[in-house]
Amino acid sequence: MEKQELICCLVLVFPAVCLQSPTDCSEVQKLFHLNEIGPIKTVPETPRTGSDLQVCDSLSLTCCTKNMEVRYQTAAQKNVQNLLQMTSSSLKTLISGNVAEFQEILKNLTRQTEYYINSLFNSTYQNIPPEANGLLRELFTDIGLFMLGSELGVEVSVYRFFDGLFPLVYNHLINPGLTGISSVNAECIRSYRRPLNPFGSFPKQLADEVRRSLLPTRVFLQALNLAIEVINTTDHLQCSAQCTQALLKMLYCPHCQGLTQSKPCMGYCLNVMRGCLASVEEIDGQWREFVRSVEEASSRLHGAQEPEQALLAVHLPIINAVMHAQRNGPKLSAQVHKVCGHADRTAGESVSIQQEGSSAGAPRQAARKTFSSQRKEFVTSLRHYRTFYAVLADRLCVSELASSDGMSCWNGADVVKSYTLRVVDSGIKAQAVNPEVIVKGPDPVMHQIIDKLKHVNQLLQGKAILASGMLDVIEKGSGEPDLLSSGDCDDEDGCGASGHGEAGKPMQVAEPQRSAKQNILEWGALPVTCQSLIPPVIICDNPAF
């Protein structure tokens, strides 16, 4: 009996590994080179014994060497990483593209509102010099940055604005008719704005209203940035040793037997991919909740909390603050004389009534898309991805990796008509009986991502109030003071009469198993086209988080 026949007679003892030896390795060499797995000289020209192989071992002759096995293992990881990034690219593009659109809309809206209020302010208080324009510009710049996630607190920006405004109001409205005061006197007046409290409670009111009305927009945008972080992290999943070996066995071990055109059986593929992506698919529950929370948060961004309305309302507390100072002019003059002395006036010409940029009385033409219309379109598109992580492994197998129904397929040891082992469900717990991949437990990086999603979901739902440092949990370096102030304050009660006491204190408030194809149909079977993809960056061993 010939050697090859003798090997095949061992089928009763080793039924899963009785393969006919490849006659030559030319096709293996060709694909090894074309797929840039390694130099062609790495592949033997004729089959050899594979006693040194660790994963793709076989009783028959093989076209693989130990060096090739290592290279195939790296290639298998890269293949799956490419597929992960390709599958998520449409979702990532949807979110990142809309974040960019939202940011641009808010920047334009902030500029337009600043221009409008500047014109309104100049027409109302024509004696105010051009320095007021710069103060308004700085205030609106800070408000815009706050919406986009800046660390700078709203109170800091608002109080700085009124600090700079007081000398101008005092010199040109309360004591008009003279040309100006020295820089020393102006600085003294500015420094005593908070102790003297010339604007009553209106600075605090403005800070509270800006923060309360624009914080939902800020949280909405930060939530979308977190979603991008989630996708980046899952795209660069750190592969366990058990997963890496299972991918090698599924994708490249058949090449060692010359079976370069074979694909894994559907059940086999599902077991391997559900095992490798078990921690990723644990995100599903919080991801569904995230999509629902984004939709609910978006629906609440109307009226006073709509950015357009919130920004346009900024001028009311400013105008009221100036009027309050004018009404109390004599009292303020006496107080200023007491702490800063009589004004040391400097010679100069009177200020022109016409200010730069004040000729137009209305905002420039609005952006082509409003924030409201953009977010509604976005939420409608995002709904299609609510089950994205529930069916991720299934989608990879159905769309890319596994053999079609009725076709011969690779079961990890041989080419067969169908896969006969048990197919496990998705998730960590189900992997205890996975016949293909040993899953030791949850991935700590995925656990962190799930915690972040939980927290941002609470913020989006209004169940958590943003206090100092809490944004660090969502986005590194985004600390912000309190969300809400502790109470109201009348104009005359002096609640902001000393130092930084105007800032309010923070309030502390506290499915059945289905087939892979059915899961894909629930997701919507969104098309994935290579032409629309961003070139992936493969970092399997160094997850981006």
Side-chain angles (χ1 to χ4, degrees), residues 169-223:
V169 170
Y170 179 80
N171 188 42
H172 297 276
L173 295 181
I174 295 175
N175 293 294
L178 297 177
T179 57
I181 59 176
S182 68
S183 59
V184 174
N185 282 111
E187 178 57 28
C188 179
I189 295 171
R190 190 201 67 79
S191 65
Y192 273 93
R193 197 279 300 175
R194 301 188 197 192
L196 295 177
N197 192 28
F199 300 117
S201 65
F202 292 107
K204 179 181 182 298
Q205 177 186 332
L206 177 58
D208 288 347
E209 288 181 0
V210 167
R211 186 176 46 192
R212 186 179 293 111
S213 60
L214 293 179
L215 188 65
T217 299
R218 173 187 172 101
V219 171
F220 181 79
L221 291 179
Q222 287 183 320

Side-chain angles (χ1 to χ4, degrees), residues 373-414:
S373 64
Q374 184 72 26
R375 64 178 170 78
K376 288 176 182 177
E377 290 180 16
F378 166 71
V379 167
T380 300
S381 298
L382 186 64
R383 287 195 199 108
H384 296 296
Y385 294 90
R386 66 189 181 280
T387 59
F388 176 78
Y389 284 106
V391 299
L392 185 55
D394 299 34
R395 182 168 176 80
L396 293 180
C397 289
V398 171
S399 302
E400 301 292 339
L401 295 174
S403 175
S404 302
D405 292 342
M407 301 291 292
S408 296
C409 55
W410 173 255
N411 68 355
D414 202 349

Side-chain angles (χ1 to χ4, degrees), residues 209-469:
E209 288 181 0
V210 167
R211 186 176 46 192
R212 186 179 293 111
S213 60
L214 293 179
L215 188 65
T217 299
R218 173 187 172 101
V219 171
F220 181 79
L221 291 179
Q222 287 183 320
L224 301 190
N225 283 322
L226 174 62
I228 296 173
E229 179 188 346
V230 171
I231 299 168
N232 284 337
T233 304
T234 55
D235 275 357
H236 300 91
L237 175 69
Q238 188 173 18
C239 305
S240 68
Q242 292 79 12
C243 169
T244 300
Q245 291 178 2
L247 293 175
L248 164 63
K249 186 177 180 181
M250 180 177 76
L251 298 177
Y252 285 108
C253 282
H255 286 220
C256 297
Q257 303 303 318
L259 305 172
T260 56
Q261 301 303 316
S262 68
K263 283 191 168 186
C265 303
M266 179 61 72
Y268 176 43
C269 180
L270 289 174
N271 276 340
V272 172
M273 297 312 300
R274 287 175 178 176
C276 286
L277 299 179
S279 290
V280 173
E281 293 187 333
E282 288 291 307
I283 295 174
D284 173 55
Q286 288 302 319
W287 178 259
R288 290 176 191 248
E289 185 73 5
F290 173 79
V291 174
R292 185 181 69 83
S293 300
V294 166
E295 184 173 0
E296 290 180 355
S298 174
S299 67
R300 292 194 297 269
L301 289 174
H302 63 84
Q305 291 191 337
E306 194 168 17
E308 292 91 339
Q309 297 298 322
L311 288 171
L312 284 173
V314 167
H315 77 283
L316 290 175
I318 296 176
I319 298 296
N320 288 334
V322 175
M323 292 174 61
H324 179 83
Q326 287 180 296
R327 285 197 302 266
N328 293 277
K331 179 182 175 181
L332 286 173
S333 293
Q335 291 175 325
V336 169
H337 291 162
K338 184 176 180 180
V339 295
C340 295
H342 289 282
D344 182 13
R345 304 282 176 173
T346 59
E349 297 180 0
S350 61
V351 179
S352 172
I353 291 177
Q354 184 66 32
Q355 307 297 339
E356 180 184 356
S358 64
S359 57
R364 298 173 185 173
Q365 185 177 0
R368 194 167 45 181
K369 280 189 176 182
T370 65
F371 188 85
S372 177
S373 64
Q374 184 72 26
R375 64 178 170 78
K376 288 176 182 177
E377 290 180 16
F378 166 71
V379 167
T380 300
S381 298
L382 186 64
R383 287 195 199 108
H384 296 296
Y385 294 90
R386 66 189 181 280
T387 59
F388 176 78
Y389 284 106
V391 299
L392 185 55
D394 299 34
R395 182 168 176 80
L396 293 180
C397 289
V398 171
S399 302
E400 301 292 339
L401 295 174
S403 175
S404 302
D405 292 342
M407 301 291 292
S408 296
C409 55
W410 173 255
N411 68 355
D414 202 349
V415 174
V416 295
K417 285 295 183 182
S418 63
Y419 183 73
T420 57
L421 298 182
R422 173 181 180 177
V423 178
V424 300
D425 204 350
S426 301
I428 292 289
K429 292 182 180 179
Q431 306 315 305
V433 292
N434 192 321
E436 306 297 346
V437 186
I438 298 174
V439 180
K440 294 184 178 180
D443 185 292
V445 176
M446 294 302 114
H447 184 71
Q448 291 176 4
I449 285 293
I450 291 172
D451 282 347
K452 289 184 178 184
L453 279 172
K454 285 180 180 178
H455 185 71
V456 82
N457 287 342
Q458 290 178 335
L459 291 175
L460 287 168
Q461 295 163 12
K463 295 179 180 178
I465 288 188
L466 206 58
S468 180

Side-chain angles (χ1 to χ4, degrees), residues 467-498:
S468 180
M470 288 181 68
L471 278 180
D472 291 338
V473 182
I474 306 174
E475 188 175 24
K476 185 177 180 182
S478 303
E480 174 60 26
D482 54 277
L483 172 66
L484 299 175
S485 60
S486 57
D488 296 324
C489 176
D490 295 329
D491 289 356
E492 302 295 340
D493 64 5
C495 61
S498 63

